[in-house]
């Protein structure tokens, strides 16, 4: 490769500049225009250089690269990047060597900017017209045609067009960057960023620093004709102080006039000192660009191309602003959504405002029921009514958003955001579809003072507080406290530990005997789950059963308890205690599992346990939640032959008719009522009532938590024969139960009834 007046370094500088700073693009190539001569005839090289040697085009000299074969040309072209013009001999090694090379330049190397002038020695030979079009060949000349002046004008016009193409390519590259950036930004400042990008881009396109600013209508308006409605959204150098001001506030009357005129004529304007570009489109906002610079004809042409490019970019930005609206706002109420809240919350948490701020979640009570009863349309109107009232009362001072179906979030000063103020707006009925609807709400709050979590933690914690408030009663509120969070984290930790304990067989079942107080015989036992941790301590079921229920683990664990208890029952029967029954606790989550009946059937079948000696303990509250499902399930359970007993009886609420329908076998008097039976004879009236109730319904009854002989005797006097409690036996391991059963036999034999 041979080269004159040029070095590699320049090429590298040029490349860097293109990708980083477009404003220096034009200056960077100022050194020289690079012309490549490809010809197998050395005479052509010297003749061309002689003809063009001291030519200057736009104040820049020419420099030359030489290749004497198509192959050599390929090597050079693959390494060089800023060649303006190639003067190419068509016929070299082969007839079509030149055209093949053109193909290689355009397709393989992807060099689309370089201008190509084909030359041939044979007058009769001309490439196909298709090839000229497809390969973007600038000119085709026979060598004899190329006199010195002709060569001169041909190369000059090729360089002009190369320069133009470069500028446009650069601006397109720049726009690509802007458009990409704008889609990434997706923030409210998208249009601003885009606009300052546009100003930079124009400077780099025209190769000189141009002062200017960009304005666009405030609000949602598309088209404006009043300067007072235009806001300056981006500006550079001397105009920067104008940012965020109205166009009507611009001091220079000339500038104001120019913008005003462009708004009326709806055209670009070029004055001796300045330029005004107006972008408008059918469904997008007007954008006006003021440039403090006169424009040459070439400048105007470049701006033309640039403007058509820019509207595409602008549409993209506008589109992204609209997408932004969808991403951050709730379409139903027009309020901010959860994502937007998190953004605002992050800002608040980082600002001094944090210290007096409160985040609250406001949940509409019984919204789901209203929605189901009166329809979704009504529900939507209702939400809008609530949104509107919240907005009127808190809108200006607080950040309001809708974060869930019927949950609104309010973030603001504790003076405004507090339960009193929030409840106040629910004092009057809401007008929905011309009806008065009285609503109430439940509120969870977090004080951000000293809060050390992030925005999503704060939202989660507010939710915890809300859930807590809901457990109290509807229309109440709760402030988040650290122990609530600890509690939740502890629950999550315990959930993982429980799963591991179950997998590692650290759960086991113990059995607490149930006694017939008249005969002192063991009539059965209740299976109770135990969890022994690795360090040997026990976690009480009252703590881990709710977690197992909450996490769904209870389904697997419960099945395992069921099978273990059935297996044990078979063992006990085999020992000769053939009347022995096994009571097994079944929780709501297990019971309402669609496969529960199958699980039960399989446990009975696989262990060979006699179904009519298996008793399932369900709680009274469970009996109340879904009566239809319950009645159906109970019916199937009874068909299998198993018995049902109602645990913790007396703590919930059940109607008598309900109890009859459920067709249960046994009531289990809650420990609390047994506990009431103290030394004073008249205590235990509830226990007594339950016993009477069971007698009138013809249902068996058992008392649990019997700790003293007095309690046992009192219960017996009420007519309750069956008991379970520490007075008789603690829950025992299966080994201990076997021993206990034998020992107890002796006692019952010794104790005549
Ligand atoms: P529960 O069904 O009411 O079980 C009776 C609880 O009272 C047992 O507590 C038992 O150890 C305790 N207890 C028995 N006699 C006395 C007494 O004389 N005095 C006192 N103070 N307490 C007595 P435990 O074993 O801690 O079980 C607590 C709860 O955990 C159970 O209440 C039951 O709701 C649940 N649970 C235990 N095992 C299982 C299980 O396998 N599945 C399900 N779903 N829940 C279970
Ligand atoms: Ca029980
Ligand atoms: Ca109980």
């Amino acid at each position: 490769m041979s080269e004159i007046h040029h070095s590699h370094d320049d090429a590298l500088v040029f490349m860097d500049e293109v990708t980083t700073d477009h404003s220096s693009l034009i200056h960077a190539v100022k050194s020289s225009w690079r012309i490549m001569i490809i010809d197998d005839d050395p005479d052509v090289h010297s003749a061309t250089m002689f003809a063009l040697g001291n030519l200057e085009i736009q104040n820049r000299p020419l420099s030359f690269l030489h290749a004497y074969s198509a192959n050599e040309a390929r090597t050079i072209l693959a390494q060089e990047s800023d060649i303006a013009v190639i003067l190419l001999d068509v016929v070299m090694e082969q007839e079509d060597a030149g055209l093949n090379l053109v193909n290689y330049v355009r397709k393989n190397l992807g060099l689309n900017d370089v201008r190509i002038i084909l030359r041939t020695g044979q007058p009769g030979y001309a490439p196909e017209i298709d090839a000229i079009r497809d390969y973007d060949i600038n000119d085709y000349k026979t060598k004899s045609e190329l006199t010195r002046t002709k060569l001169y004008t041909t190369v000059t016009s090729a360089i002009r067009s190369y320069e133009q193409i470069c500028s446009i390519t650069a601006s397109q590259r720049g726009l690509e960057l802007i458009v990409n950036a704008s889609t990434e930004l997706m923030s409210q400042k998208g249009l601003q960023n885009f606009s300052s990008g546009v100003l930079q881009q124009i400077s780099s396109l025209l190769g000189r620093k141009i002062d200017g600013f960009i304005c666009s209508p405030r609000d949602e308006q598309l088209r404006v004709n009043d300067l007072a409605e235009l806001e300056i959204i981006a500006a550079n150098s001397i105009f920067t102080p104008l940012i965020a001001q109205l166009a009507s506030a611009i001091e220079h009357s000339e500038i104001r006039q120019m913008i005003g005129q462009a708004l009326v004529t709806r055209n670009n304007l070029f004055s001796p000192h300045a330029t005004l570009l107006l972008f408008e489109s059918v469904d997008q906002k007007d954008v006006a660009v003021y440039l403090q610079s006169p424009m040459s004809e070439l400048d105007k042409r470049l701006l033309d191309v640039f403007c058509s490019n820019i509207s595409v970019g602008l549409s993209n930005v506008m589109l992204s602003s609209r997408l932004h609206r969808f991403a951050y706002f709730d379409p139903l109420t027009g309020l901010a959504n959860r994502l937007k809240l998190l953004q605002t919350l992050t800002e608040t948490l980082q600002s001094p405002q944090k210290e007096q701020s409160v985040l609250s979640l406001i949940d509409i009570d019984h919204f789901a029921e209203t929605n189901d009863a009166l329809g979704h349309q009504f529900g939507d109107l209702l939400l809008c009514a609530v949104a509107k009232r919240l907005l009127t009362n808190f809108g200006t001072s607080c950040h309001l958003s809708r974060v869930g179906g019927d949950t609104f979030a309010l973030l603001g000063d504790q003076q405004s955001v507090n339960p009193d103020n929030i409840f106040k707006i629910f004092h009057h009925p809401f007008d929905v579809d011309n009806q008065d609807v009285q609503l109430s709400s439940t509120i969870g709050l977090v004080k951000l003072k000293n809060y050390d979590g992030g925005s999503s933690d704060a939202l989660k914690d507010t939710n915890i507080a809300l859930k807590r408030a809901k457990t109290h009663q509807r229309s109440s509120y709760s402030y988040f406290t650290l122990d609530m969070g600890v509690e939740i984290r502890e629950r999550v930790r315990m959930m993982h530990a429980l799963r591991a304990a179950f997998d590692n067989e650290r759960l086991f079942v113990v059995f607490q005997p149930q006694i017939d107080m008249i005969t002192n015989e063991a009539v059965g036992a209740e299976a109770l789950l135990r969890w022994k941790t690795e360090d040997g301590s026990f976690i009480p079921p009252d703590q881990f059963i709710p977690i197992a229920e909450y996490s769904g683990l209870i389904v697997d664990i419960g099945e395992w308890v069921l099978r273990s208890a059935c297996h044990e029952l078979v063992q006990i029967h085999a020992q000769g205690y053939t009347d022995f029954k096994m009571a097994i606790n079944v929780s709501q989550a297990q019971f309402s599992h669609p496969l529960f009946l199958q699980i039960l059937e399989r446990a009975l079948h696989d262990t060979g346990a006699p179904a009519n000696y298996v008793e399932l303990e369900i709680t009274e509250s469970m009996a109340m939640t879904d009566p239809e499902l319950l009645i159906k399930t109970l019916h199937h359970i009874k068909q299998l032959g198993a018995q049902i007993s109602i645990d913790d009886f007396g703590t919930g609420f059940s109607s008598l008719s309900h109890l009859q329908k459920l067709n249960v076998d046994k009531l289990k008097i809650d420990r609390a009522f047994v506990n009431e039976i103290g030394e004073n004879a008249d205590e235990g009236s509830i226990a007594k009532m339950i016993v009477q109730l069971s007698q009138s319904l013809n249902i068996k009854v058992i008392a649990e938590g019997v700790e003293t002989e007095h309690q046992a005797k009192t219960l017996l006097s009420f007519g309750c024969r069956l008991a379970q409690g520490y007075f008789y036996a603690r829950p025992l391991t299966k080994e201990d139960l076997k021993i206990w059963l034998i020992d107890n036999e002796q006692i019952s034999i010794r104790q005549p009834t």
Side-chain angles (χ1 to χ4, degrees), residues 526 585 617 619 647-649 668-671 704:
E526 177 181 5
N585 293 287
E617 291 193 3
T619 60
D647 205 353
D648 303 341
F649 192 82
K668 207 168 182 187
I669 305 170
D670 191 72
R671 199 163 70 220
E704 71 176 344

Side-chain angles (χ1 to χ4, degrees), residues 150-167:
K150 270 226 178 105
L151 187 60
Y152 186 102
T153 46
T154 307
V155 170
T156 305
S157 83
I159 284 179
R160 286 248 165 82
S161 104
Y162 170 74
E163 185 191 24
Q164 221 163 351
I165 287 170
C166 279
S167 306

Side-chain angles (χ1 to χ4, degrees), residues 673 675-688 710 714 718:
F673 307 122
N675 238 341
E676 272 181 12
I677 305 171
E679 293 306 317
N680 300 330
D682 58 324
E683 284 166 342
S685 51
I686 297 179
K688 191 174 183 178
H710 173 70
T714 311
F718 292 159

